Amino acid sequence: MARVIIPLYGMEVAPRFDLTSEVWIGVQGPDGHFLEERTVVMPQASAENLCQLILSEGADVVVCGGVEQEYYDYLVWKKNTVDDDVIAVLDAAKKALEEGGLRSGAVLLKRSVEE
């Protein structure tokens, strides 16, 4: 089982790691589907507090938007997989994780184009 953390901005992956005020936490079963999930509201937006939450939750995977290099390096050093530069709504990110296809730089938003 894998613990996944996704910093949120509304119902989207937060564009900036350091300005996250909500965090989605999910536990992925062996088949890839999420067995548990919850949302945690952070007391204040802080990259340090978010890193502490990630470690205290025992996260294996972090899916985020933009993240400063020092925090990226720290999380990788702590043995987390970090998929950064992800642009997606939460449901699309979860689906990609369940299917095993989420990678850094993924753009999963569908925009309608009007002519």
Side-chain angles (χ1 to χ4, degrees), residues 3-56:
R3 284 195 171 279
V4 179
I5 289 190
I6 302 177
L8 297 176
Y9 179 76
M11 290 309 295
E12 296 182 2
V13 175
R16 286 186 49 182
F17 188 84
D18 61 334
L19 295 180
T20 300
S21 59
E22 288 184 271
V23 179
W24 179 87
I25 301 169
V27 178
Q28 220 173 0
D31 65 351
H33 289 86
F34 288 99
L35 307 173
E36 299 173 31
E37 54 185 277
R38 63 190 167 98
T39 302
V40 174
V41 177
M42 302 288 288
Q44 67 185 40
S46 160
E48 291 83 6
N49 289 346
L50 182 51
C51 285
Q52 183 59 42
L53 176 71
I54 290 166
L55 297 180
S56 68

Short mmCIF file of all heavy atoms in Angstrom, two decimals, residues 3-56:
data_model
loop_
_atom_site.label_atom_id
_atom_site.label_comp_id
_atom_site.label_asym_id
_atom_site.label_seq_id
_atom_site.Cartn_x
_atom_site.Cartn_y
_atom_site.Cartn_z
N ARG A 3 1.02 5.53 0.44
CA ARG A 3 0.38 6.77 0.90
C ARG A 3 0.73 7.87 -0.09
O ARG A 3 1.90 8.09 -0.40
CB ARG A 3 0.87 7.16 2.28
CG ARG A 3 0.28 6.34 3.37
CD ARG A 3 0.54 7.04 4.71
NE ARG A 3 -0.16 6.41 5.78
CZ ARG A 3 -1.45 6.61 6.05
NH1 ARG A 3 -2.17 7.43 5.36
NH2 ARG A 3 -2.02 5.98 7.06
N VAL A 4 -0.31 8.57 -0.54
CA VAL A 4 -0.14 9.63 -1.54
C VAL A 4 -0.62 10.94 -0.92
O VAL A 4 -1.66 10.99 -0.28
CB VAL A 4 -0.97 9.33 -2.81
CG1 VAL A 4 -0.81 10.45 -3.82
CG2 VAL A 4 -0.55 7.99 -3.41
N ILE A 5 0.15 12.01 -1.15
CA ILE A 5 -0.24 13.33 -0.68
C ILE A 5 -0.26 14.28 -1.87
O ILE A 5 0.68 14.31 -2.67
CB ILE A 5 0.70 13.85 0.42
CG1 ILE A 5 0.46 13.03 1.68
CG2 ILE A 5 0.53 15.33 0.65
CD1 ILE A 5 1.12 13.53 2.93
N ILE A 6 -1.37 15.03 -1.97
CA ILE A 6 -1.52 16.03 -3.03
C ILE A 6 -1.90 17.36 -2.39
O ILE A 6 -3.01 17.49 -1.85
CB ILE A 6 -2.60 15.61 -4.06
CG1 ILE A 6 -2.26 14.25 -4.68
CG2 ILE A 6 -2.73 16.69 -5.14
CD1 ILE A 6 -3.31 13.72 -5.64
N PRO A 7 -1.01 18.35 -2.43
CA PRO A 7 -1.37 19.69 -1.97
C PRO A 7 -2.44 20.26 -2.90
O PRO A 7 -2.34 20.13 -4.13
CB PRO A 7 -0.07 20.48 -2.08
CG PRO A 7 1.01 19.44 -2.13
CD PRO A 7 0.40 18.26 -2.81
N LEU A 8 -3.46 20.89 -2.33
CA LEU A 8 -4.60 21.37 -3.12
C LEU A 8 -4.75 22.88 -3.12
O LEU A 8 -4.38 23.56 -2.16
CB LEU A 8 -5.90 20.78 -2.57
CG LEU A 8 -6.07 19.28 -2.62
CD1 LEU A 8 -7.37 18.88 -1.93
CD2 LEU A 8 -6.03 18.76 -4.04
N TYR A 9 -5.34 23.36 -4.19
CA TYR A 9 -5.84 24.73 -4.29
C TYR A 9 -7.26 24.56 -4.82
O TYR A 9 -7.46 24.30 -6.01
CB TYR A 9 -4.98 25.56 -5.25
CG TYR A 9 -5.49 26.98 -5.40
CD1 TYR A 9 -5.26 27.91 -4.40
CD2 TYR A 9 -6.19 27.37 -6.53
CE1 TYR A 9 -5.73 29.21 -4.52
CE2 TYR A 9 -6.65 28.66 -6.66
CZ TYR A 9 -6.41 29.57 -5.66
OH TYR A 9 -6.88 30.87 -5.78
N GLY A 10 -8.22 24.61 -3.92
CA GLY A 10 -9.60 24.28 -4.31
C GLY A 10 -9.64 22.80 -4.62
O GLY A 10 -9.25 21.98 -3.79
N MET A 11 -10.05 22.44 -5.80
CA MET A 11 -10.10 21.02 -6.21
C MET A 11 -9.03 20.69 -7.24
O MET A 11 -9.13 19.70 -7.95
CB MET A 11 -11.50 20.68 -6.76
CG MET A 11 -12.57 20.66 -5.69
SD MET A 11 -12.19 19.64 -4.24
CE MET A 11 -12.13 18.02 -4.94
N GLU A 12 -7.99 21.52 -7.31
CA GLU A 12 -6.88 21.29 -8.24
C GLU A 12 -5.59 21.07 -7.47
O GLU A 12 -5.46 21.48 -6.32
CB GLU A 12 -6.71 22.49 -9.17
CG GLU A 12 -7.89 22.73 -10.07
CD GLU A 12 -7.67 23.89 -11.03
OE1 GLU A 12 -6.58 24.50 -11.03
OE2 GLU A 12 -8.60 24.19 -11.78
N VAL A 13 -4.63 20.45 -8.14
CA VAL A 13 -3.29 20.35 -7.58
C VAL A 13 -2.78 21.78 -7.42
O VAL A 13 -2.85 22.58 -8.35
CB VAL A 13 -2.36 19.55 -8.52
CG1 VAL A 13 -0.93 19.55 -7.99
CG2 VAL A 13 -2.87 18.12 -8.70
N ALA A 14 -2.31 22.11 -6.22
CA ALA A 14 -1.86 23.48 -5.93
C ALA A 14 -0.71 23.86 -6.87
O ALA A 14 0.24 23.09 -7.03
CB ALA A 14 -1.41 23.60 -4.48
N PRO A 15 -0.80 25.04 -7.47
CA PRO A 15 0.27 25.47 -8.39
C PRO A 15 1.58 25.76 -7.67
O PRO A 15 2.64 25.68 -8.29
CB PRO A 15 -0.30 26.72 -9.05
CG PRO A 15 -1.36 27.21 -8.13
CD PRO A 15 -1.88 26.01 -7.40
N ARG A 16 1.52 26.08 -6.37
CA ARG A 16 2.74 26.36 -5.60
C ARG A 16 2.72 25.58 -4.30
O ARG A 16 1.79 25.70 -3.50
CB ARG A 16 2.85 27.85 -5.30
CG ARG A 16 3.25 28.67 -6.51
CD ARG A 16 3.51 30.09 -6.19
NE ARG A 16 4.40 30.28 -5.04
CZ ARG A 16 4.72 31.48 -4.57
NH1 ARG A 16 4.23 32.57 -5.14
NH2 ARG A 16 5.52 31.59 -3.53
N PHE A 17 3.76 24.82 -4.08
CA PHE A 17 3.93 23.98 -2.89
C PHE A 17 3.89 24.81 -1.61
O PHE A 17 3.27 24.42 -0.63
CB PHE A 17 5.29 23.27 -3.03
CG PHE A 17 5.58 22.23 -1.99
CD1 PHE A 17 5.10 20.95 -2.13
CD2 PHE A 17 6.39 22.53 -0.91
CE1 PHE A 17 5.40 19.97 -1.20
CE2 PHE A 17 6.70 21.55 0.04
CZ PHE A 17 6.20 20.27 -0.12
N ASP A 18 4.52 25.97 -1.62
CA ASP A 18 4.66 26.78 -0.41
C ASP A 18 3.40 27.56 -0.03
O ASP A 18 3.33 28.11 1.07
CB ASP A 18 5.84 27.74 -0.53
CG ASP A 18 5.70 28.72 -1.67
OD1 ASP A 18 4.99 28.42 -2.66
OD2 ASP A 18 6.31 29.80 -1.59
N LEU A 19 2.40 27.59 -0.89
CA LEU A 19 1.17 28.33 -0.59
C LEU A 19 -0.03 27.42 -0.37
O LEU A 19 -1.17 27.85 -0.43
CB LEU A 19 0.87 29.33 -1.71
CG LEU A 19 1.90 30.45 -1.88
CD1 LEU A 19 1.49 31.37 -3.02
CD2 LEU A 19 2.07 31.23 -0.60
N THR A 20 0.23 26.16 -0.09
CA THR A 20 -0.84 25.18 0.09
C THR A 20 -1.52 25.33 1.44
O THR A 20 -0.85 25.39 2.46
CB THR A 20 -0.26 23.75 -0.02
OG1 THR A 20 0.34 23.62 -1.30
CG2 THR A 20 -1.32 22.72 0.16
N SER A 21 -2.85 25.38 1.43
CA SER A 21 -3.58 25.45 2.70
C SER A 21 -4.41 24.19 2.95
O SER A 21 -4.90 23.98 4.05
CB SER A 21 -4.47 26.68 2.72
OG SER A 21 -5.39 26.64 1.66
N GLU A 22 -4.57 23.34 1.94
CA GLU A 22 -5.29 22.07 2.08
C GLU A 22 -4.47 20.96 1.44
O GLU A 22 -3.79 21.19 0.45
CB GLU A 22 -6.65 22.11 1.40
CG GLU A 22 -7.69 22.95 2.08
CD GLU A 22 -9.01 22.83 1.35
OE1 GLU A 22 -9.23 23.63 0.44
OE2 GLU A 22 -9.81 21.94 1.72
N VAL A 23 -4.60 19.77 2.00
CA VAL A 23 -3.84 18.63 1.50
C VAL A 23 -4.75 17.41 1.43
O VAL A 23 -5.45 17.10 2.40
CB VAL A 23 -2.64 18.32 2.43
CG1 VAL A 23 -1.85 17.12 1.93
CG2 VAL A 23 -1.73 19.53 2.56
N TRP A 24 -4.74 16.74 0.28
CA TRP A 24 -5.47 15.49 0.12
C TRP A 24 -4.51 14.35 0.43
O TRP A 24 -3.37 14.33 -0.04
CB TRP A 24 -6.01 15.37 -1.31
CG TRP A 24 -6.75 14.11 -1.56
CD1 TRP A 24 -8.08 13.88 -1.33
CD2 TRP A 24 -6.22 12.89 -2.08
NE1 TRP A 24 -8.40 12.59 -1.68
CE2 TRP A 24 -7.27 11.96 -2.13
CE3 TRP A 24 -4.95 12.49 -2.49
CZ2 TRP A 24 -7.10 10.67 -2.59
CZ3 TRP A 24 -4.77 11.20 -2.94
CH2 TRP A 24 -5.85 10.29 -2.99
N ILE A 25 -4.98 13.38 1.23
CA ILE A 25 -4.17 12.23 1.60
C ILE A 25 -4.95 10.97 1.23
O ILE A 25 -6.11 10.82 1.61
CB ILE A 25 -3.86 12.23 3.11
CG1 ILE A 25 -3.13 13.52 3.50
CG2 ILE A 25 -3.05 10.99 3.49
CD1 ILE A 25 -3.01 13.74 4.99
N GLY A 26 -4.31 10.09 0.49
CA GLY A 26 -4.96 8.85 0.09
C GLY A 26 -4.06 7.65 0.33
O GLY A 26 -2.83 7.77 0.29
N VAL A 27 -4.69 6.50 0.58
CA VAL A 27 -3.96 5.25 0.73
C VAL A 27 -4.36 4.36 -0.44
O VAL A 27 -5.54 4.03 -0.61
CB VAL A 27 -4.29 4.56 2.07
CG1 VAL A 27 -3.56 3.23 2.17
CG2 VAL A 27 -3.93 5.47 3.24
N GLN A 28 -3.36 4.00 -1.23
CA GLN A 28 -3.58 3.22 -2.44
C GLN A 28 -3.37 1.74 -2.13
O GLN A 28 -2.36 1.36 -1.54
CB GLN A 28 -2.56 3.67 -3.49
CG GLN A 28 -3.08 3.76 -4.86
CD GLN A 28 -2.06 4.38 -5.81
OE1 GLN A 28 -0.97 4.75 -5.44
NE2 GLN A 28 -2.45 4.49 -7.05
N GLY A 29 -4.33 0.93 -2.54
CA GLY A 29 -4.23 -0.52 -2.34
C GLY A 29 -3.33 -1.16 -3.38
O GLY A 29 -2.87 -0.50 -4.32
N PRO A 30 -3.09 -2.46 -3.27
CA PRO A 30 -2.22 -3.17 -4.20
C PRO A 30 -2.70 -3.11 -5.65
O PRO A 30 -1.90 -3.17 -6.58
CB PRO A 30 -2.23 -4.61 -3.69
CG PRO A 30 -2.78 -4.57 -2.32
CD PRO A 30 -3.58 -3.32 -2.20
N ASP A 31 -4.01 -2.98 -5.85
CA ASP A 31 -4.55 -2.91 -7.21
C ASP A 31 -4.53 -1.50 -7.78
O ASP A 31 -4.95 -1.26 -8.90
CB ASP A 31 -5.98 -3.47 -7.25
CG ASP A 31 -6.97 -2.64 -6.46
OD1 ASP A 31 -6.54 -1.71 -5.73
OD2 ASP A 31 -8.18 -2.91 -6.56
N GLY A 32 -4.04 -0.53 -7.00
CA GLY A 32 -3.94 0.85 -7.47
C GLY A 32 -5.08 1.74 -7.04
O GLY A 32 -4.96 2.95 -7.06
N HIS A 33 -6.21 1.16 -6.65
CA HIS A 33 -7.36 1.97 -6.24
C HIS A 33 -7.17 2.50 -4.82
O HIS A 33 -6.49 1.89 -4.01
CB HIS A 33 -8.65 1.15 -6.35
CG HIS A 33 -9.03 0.89 -7.76
ND1 HIS A 33 -8.53 -0.18 -8.47
CD2 HIS A 33 -9.85 1.56 -8.60
CE1 HIS A 33 -9.02 -0.15 -9.70
NE2 HIS A 33 -9.82 0.89 -9.80
N PHE A 34 -7.80 3.62 -4.55
CA PHE A 34 -7.67 4.24 -3.24
C PHE A 34 -8.65 3.62 -2.26
O PHE A 34 -9.84 3.56 -2.51
CB PHE A 34 -7.85 5.76 -3.34
CG PHE A 34 -6.68 6.42 -3.99
CD1 PHE A 34 -6.70 6.77 -5.32
CD2 PHE A 34 -5.51 6.65 -3.26
CE1 PHE A 34 -5.60 7.34 -5.93
CE2 PHE A 34 -4.41 7.23 -3.86
CZ PHE A 34 -4.44 7.57 -5.19
N LEU A 35 -8.11 3.16 -1.14
CA LEU A 35 -8.90 2.50 -0.10
C LEU A 35 -9.38 3.51 0.94
O LEU A 35 -10.44 3.32 1.54
CB LEU A 35 -8.07 1.42 0.59
CG LEU A 35 -7.42 0.38 -0.32
CD1 LEU A 35 -6.50 -0.53 0.48
CD2 LEU A 35 -8.50 -0.42 -1.03
N GLU A 36 -8.57 4.52 1.17
CA GLU A 36 -8.90 5.57 2.14
C GLU A 36 -8.51 6.90 1.53
O GLU A 36 -7.55 6.98 0.77
CB GLU A 36 -8.08 5.41 3.43
CG GLU A 36 -8.27 4.13 4.18
CD GLU A 36 -7.28 4.02 5.34
OE1 GLU A 36 -6.88 5.06 5.91
OE2 GLU A 36 -6.90 2.89 5.65
N GLU A 37 -9.24 7.93 1.91
CA GLU A 37 -8.85 9.28 1.51
C GLU A 37 -9.47 10.30 2.45
O GLU A 37 -10.53 10.06 3.02
CB GLU A 37 -9.21 9.59 0.05
CG GLU A 37 -10.64 9.37 -0.35
CD GLU A 37 -10.83 9.59 -1.83
OE1 GLU A 37 -10.98 10.75 -2.25
OE2 GLU A 37 -10.83 8.59 -2.57
N ARG A 38 -8.74 11.39 2.63
CA ARG A 38 -9.22 12.47 3.48
C ARG A 38 -8.51 13.75 3.09
O ARG A 38 -7.49 13.73 2.41
CB ARG A 38 -8.99 12.15 4.96
CG ARG A 38 -7.54 12.01 5.35
CD ARG A 38 -7.41 11.46 6.78
NE ARG A 38 -6.06 11.05 7.06
CZ ARG A 38 -5.16 11.76 7.71
NH1 ARG A 38 -5.48 12.96 8.16
NH2 ARG A 38 -3.95 11.30 7.93
N THR A 39 -9.07 14.87 3.53
CA THR A 39 -8.47 16.17 3.28
C THR A 39 -8.14 16.82 4.62
O THR A 39 -8.94 16.77 5.55
CB THR A 39 -9.44 17.07 2.48
OG1 THR A 39 -9.77 16.41 1.25
CG2 THR A 39 -8.81 18.42 2.17
N VAL A 40 -6.96 17.39 4.69
CA VAL A 40 -6.48 18.05 5.91
C VAL A 40 -6.30 19.53 5.59
O VAL A 40 -5.73 19.89 4.57
CB VAL A 40 -5.14 17.45 6.37
CG1 VAL A 40 -4.55 18.22 7.53
CG2 VAL A 40 -5.31 15.98 6.71
N VAL A 41 -6.80 20.39 6.48
CA VAL A 41 -6.60 21.83 6.35
C VAL A 41 -5.37 22.20 7.16
O VAL A 41 -5.28 21.88 8.35
CB VAL A 41 -7.83 22.61 6.83
CG1 VAL A 41 -7.58 24.12 6.76
CG2 VAL A 41 -9.06 22.23 6.01
N MET A 42 -4.43 22.88 6.52
CA MET A 42 -3.20 23.30 7.18
C MET A 42 -3.48 24.54 8.03
O MET A 42 -4.26 25.41 7.61
CB MET A 42 -2.12 23.62 6.15
CG MET A 42 -1.77 22.48 5.21
SD MET A 42 -0.86 21.17 5.99
CE MET A 42 0.71 21.97 6.21
N PRO A 43 -2.84 24.68 9.19
CA PRO A 43 -3.07 25.87 10.02
C PRO A 43 -2.58 27.15 9.34
O PRO A 43 -3.13 28.22 9.56
CB PRO A 43 -2.28 25.59 11.30
CG PRO A 43 -1.37 24.47 10.97
CD PRO A 43 -1.94 23.73 9.82
N GLN A 44 -1.55 27.01 8.51
CA GLN A 44 -1.06 28.15 7.71
C GLN A 44 -0.28 27.59 6.54
O GLN A 44 0.25 26.48 6.61
CB GLN A 44 -0.19 29.09 8.53
CG GLN A 44 1.13 28.48 8.97
CD GLN A 44 1.91 29.40 9.88
OE1 GLN A 44 1.35 30.04 10.73
NE2 GLN A 44 3.21 29.46 9.67
N ALA A 45 -0.21 28.34 5.46
CA ALA A 45 0.55 27.91 4.29
C ALA A 45 2.03 28.03 4.59
O ALA A 45 2.52 29.10 4.95
CB ALA A 45 0.18 28.77 3.09
N SER A 46 2.75 26.92 4.48
CA SER A 46 4.18 26.90 4.76
C SER A 46 4.78 25.64 4.16
O SER A 46 4.29 24.53 4.42
CB SER A 46 4.40 26.92 6.28
OG SER A 46 5.68 26.46 6.61
N ALA A 47 5.84 25.80 3.38
CA ALA A 47 6.52 24.64 2.80
C ALA A 47 7.10 23.75 3.89
O ALA A 47 7.07 22.52 3.77
CB ALA A 47 7.60 25.10 1.83
N GLU A 48 7.62 24.35 4.94
CA GLU A 48 8.19 23.57 6.05
C GLU A 48 7.12 22.73 6.74
O GLU A 48 7.33 21.55 7.03
CB GLU A 48 8.89 24.48 7.07
CG GLU A 48 10.17 25.13 6.56
CD GLU A 48 9.92 26.40 5.76
OE1 GLU A 48 8.75 26.87 5.66
OE2 GLU A 48 10.89 26.93 5.21
N ASN A 49 5.96 23.34 7.02
CA ASN A 49 4.86 22.61 7.65
C ASN A 49 4.34 21.49 6.74
O ASN A 49 3.99 20.42 7.21
CB ASN A 49 3.72 23.54 8.02
CG ASN A 49 4.05 24.45 9.17
OD1 ASN A 49 5.04 24.26 9.88
ND2 ASN A 49 3.24 25.49 9.36
N LEU A 50 4.30 21.76 5.45
CA LEU A 50 3.85 20.74 4.50
C LEU A 50 4.83 19.57 4.47
O LEU A 50 4.41 18.41 4.48
CB LEU A 50 3.66 21.35 3.11
CG LEU A 50 3.13 20.42 2.02
CD1 LEU A 50 1.86 19.69 2.46
CD2 LEU A 50 2.90 21.20 0.75
N CYS A 51 6.12 19.86 4.46
CA CYS A 51 7.12 18.79 4.50
C CYS A 51 6.96 17.97 5.78
O CYS A 51 7.04 16.73 5.74
CB CYS A 51 8.53 19.36 4.41
SG CYS A 51 9.01 19.90 2.76
N GLN A 52 6.73 18.63 6.89
CA GLN A 52 6.54 17.93 8.16
C GLN A 52 5.31 17.02 8.10
O GLN A 52 5.34 15.89 8.57
CB GLN A 52 6.41 18.92 9.32
CG GLN A 52 6.27 18.28 10.67
CD GLN A 52 7.45 17.37 11.03
OE1 GLN A 52 8.60 17.71 10.79
NE2 GLN A 52 7.16 16.22 11.58
N LEU A 53 4.21 17.51 7.51
CA LEU A 53 3.01 16.69 7.37
C LEU A 53 3.30 15.47 6.48
O LEU A 53 2.89 14.35 6.80
CB LEU A 53 1.86 17.51 6.77
CG LEU A 53 0.58 16.73 6.48
CD1 LEU A 53 -0.11 16.34 7.78
CD2 LEU A 53 -0.34 17.51 5.59
N ILE A 54 4.00 15.69 5.38
CA ILE A 54 4.33 14.60 4.46
C ILE A 54 5.11 13.51 5.19
O ILE A 54 4.81 12.33 5.06
CB ILE A 54 5.12 15.15 3.25
CG1 ILE A 54 4.18 16.00 2.37
CG2 ILE A 54 5.77 14.02 2.46
CD1 ILE A 54 4.90 16.86 1.36
N LEU A 55 6.08 13.91 6.01
CA LEU A 55 6.88 12.93 6.74
C LEU A 55 6.08 12.27 7.86
O LEU A 55 6.16 11.05 8.05
CB LEU A 55 8.13 13.60 7.31
CG LEU A 55 9.11 14.15 6.28
CD1 LEU A 55 10.29 14.79 6.96
CD2 LEU A 55 9.55 13.08 5.30
N SER A 56 5.29 13.05 8.59
CA SER A 56 4.52 12.47 9.70
C SER A 56 3.43 11.52 9.22
O SER A 56 3.06 10.59 9.92
CB SER A 56 3.93 13.56 10.59
OG SER A 56 2.93 14.28 9.92
#
